[in-house]
Amino acid sequence: FNIPRTVFPSISSIIILTIKNFPVNIWSHMLVTIRTALLGMLIAIPLGILLAAVFSQFKILRYGMTPITLILVVTPMITLVPLFMLWVGFDPEPRFLVVVVQCTPIILLNTLTGFCQTPVRYTELMKGYGAKKLTTFIKVVFPNALPQVFTGVKLGCIFSTIASTSIEMVAGQPGLGYRVTYFSSQIQTELVYGCILCIAFIGLSLYTIVNSVEKRVVTWIS
């Protein structure tokens, strides 16, 4: 349909040019984006679950912190990146903190929902057996909430790539986000689409890994 290559190049040209430029112009930046996303998730997952566990035990914390958490979830992270750069500078090392700020509230909200939806009859039965709160939480509440916990983690995997590429677009190299803006400025549309596909591949891979772990852990749900 005579679509200009600057709008949407052919699929074959995207694949060929991406493969050709991958070792030199994309691979090292892809590793940086993967590192940022993974490091941020490794901190966000335990932090989100821990905060959800604390909030679930204290109503005043749950009612007080939930609105703040919702604000962090719905606020586009790219709007906060310039402020973040003023606080920590443009060095690539602390960029994973943006992923932590983006993903922790998402994991927290989903996990908290799971913790608060434990059937009362289960907790009352544990009380009848004289179980302490910690024992009830470990043996009943946490296993019951695992589907929601994994839902939060899978959403976090998706948003981790969004956060990491957002800060790379604003702060500059290295990273796939930077390469997208760079190739756009050079009107190398094929490589722009190639980098976008690499970013999507990272998010999809993280999601698939967590989903496979969930199937092995949450065995009581088909």
Side-chain angles (χ1 to χ4, degrees), residues 52-201:
V54 174
F55 292 174
S56 67
Q57 300 302 311
F58 302 97
K59 285 186 178 180
I60 187 170
L61 284 177
R62 186 161 68 248
Y63 293 146
M65 296 303 297
T66 298
I68 298 174
T69 306
L70 283 172
I71 291 173
L72 289 174
V73 170
V74 300
T75 302
M77 185 53 56
I78 197 169
T79 62
L80 302 178
V81 168
L83 282 176
F84 182 84
M85 303 316 301
L86 291 176
W87 297 336
V88 301
F90 288 81
D91 189 78
E93 296 303 321
R95 291 182 183 180
F96 71 91
L97 294 175
V98 175
V99 179
V100 175
V101 175
Q102 172 82 88
C103 299
T104 299
I106 298 170
I107 297 172
L108 191 159
L109 280 180
N110 281 273
T111 304
L112 182 61
T113 300
F115 289 162
C116 294
Q117 287 182 345
T118 304
V120 177
R121 64 182 184 274
Y122 293 168
T123 56
E124 291 297 325
L125 179 62
M126 295 296 288
K127 285 182 182 179
Y129 281 111
K132 296 181 179 180
K133 275 190 173 183
L134 181 60
T135 303
T136 301
F137 181 83
I138 294 174
K139 293 185 176 295
V140 175
V141 178
F142 187 77
N144 185 77
L146 276 178
Q148 286 78 15
V149 174
F150 276 103
T151 298
V153 174
K154 286 187 285 188
L155 289 173
C157 290
I158 297 170
F159 280 91
S160 66
T161 56
I162 297 174
S164 58
T165 53
S166 295
I167 193 170
E168 290 161 2
M169 287 180 174
V170 176
Q173 62 179 328
L176 286 176
Y178 163 74
R179 298 313 278 176
V180 169
T181 56
Y182 174 79
F183 290 135
S184 296
S185 66
Q186 300 296 316
I187 319 181
Q188 297 182 3
T189 315
E190 294 87 354
L191 295 180
V192 173
Y193 280 100
C195 289
I196 293 172
L197 290 175
C198 290
I199 294 169
F201 174 77

